[in-house]
């Protein structure tokens, strides 16, 4: 059985993205920080810097790999676990930052996706990563160049 990071409580497993609310994960991270009295160190600047460091550690697992080798990471149990650990580190710092700044991640993601739908209409961008794509036929309307 997997135990959570906090020493004083157990999270029922198997937990999954489908069954665990983001608020519950935030609580677990907050409790972990509180149990260690780390709040003074968890300033927004420090959390962003730590998040960037962890993101760089995640990138190291894919640095210099071909796209096929990168996809193969999912089929290698040791590599997959190492990548999952780094992803969890990034996510924990993001959760801590959102708590510190009072940002609701669900609201932020939904709002950002609304902006992305407007900025990157599917009928214009389908199959293209954007104007730098060598296959880019050009915007079908002036809204794509904004």
């Amino acid at each position: 059985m997997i135990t959570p990071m906090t020493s004083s409580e157990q999270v029922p497993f198997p937990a999954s993205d489908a069954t665990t609310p983001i608020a519950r994960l935030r609580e677990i991270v907050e409790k972990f920080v509180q149990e260690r009295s780390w709040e003074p160190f968890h300033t927004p600047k420090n959390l962003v810097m730590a998040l960037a460091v962890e993101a760089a550690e995640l990138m190291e697992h894919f640095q210099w790999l071909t796209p096929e080798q990168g996809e193969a990471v999912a089929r290698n149990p040791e590599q997959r676990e190492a990548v999952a650990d780094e992803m969890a580190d990034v996510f924990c710092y993001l959760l801590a930052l959102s708590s510190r700044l009072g940002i609701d991640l669900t609201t932020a993601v939904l709002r950002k996706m609304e902006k992305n739908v407007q900025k990157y209409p599917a009928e214009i961008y389908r199959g293209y990563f954007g104007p730098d794509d060598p296959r880019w036929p050009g915007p079908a309307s002036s809204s794509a160049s904004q």
Side-chain angles (χ1 to χ4, degrees), residues 2 19 21 30 34-35 44 46 86 105 121 130 139 141-142 144:
I2 301 172
T19 61
E30 287 172 8
Q34 289 168 356
E35 286 178 342
N46 288 350
E86 298 303 343
L105 286 173
S141 70
S142 61

Side-chain angles (χ1 to χ4, degrees), residues 37-133:
S37 300
W38 284 352
E39 297 92 343
F41 312 114
H42 280 212
T43 64
K45 177 196 72 88
N46 288 350
L47 291 169
V48 168
M49 293 176 75
L51 192 154
V53 168
E54 295 299 340
E57 290 180 11
L58 175 60
M59 288 188 300
E60 283 182 316
H61 290 278
F62 298 92
Q63 187 177 16
W64 314 120
L65 298 183
T66 65
E68 296 77 19
Q69 290 169 324
E71 294 290 339
V73 167
R75 297 185 299 275
N76 179 310
E78 288 179 9
Q79 288 180 319
R80 189 171 190 270
E81 183 174 354
V83 166
D85 284 347
E86 298 303 343
M87 291 173 67
D89 286 340
V90 169
F91 193 51
C92 286
Y93 279 119
L94 185 61
L95 290 169
L97 181 63
S98 70
S99 293
R100 187 65 181 236
L101 296 177
I103 294 173
D104 183 288
L105 286 173
T106 298
T107 301
V109 168
L110 293 176
R111 285 183 180 161
K112 182 60 178 176
M113 291 309 299
E114 286 175 7
K115 292 175 185 177
N116 286 346
V117 165
Q118 296 301 313
K119 187 174 180 179
Y120 305 105
E123 60 275 4
I124 295 172
Y125 285 86
R126 186 171 289 111
Y128 304 101
F129 63 78
D132 292 333
D133 188 325

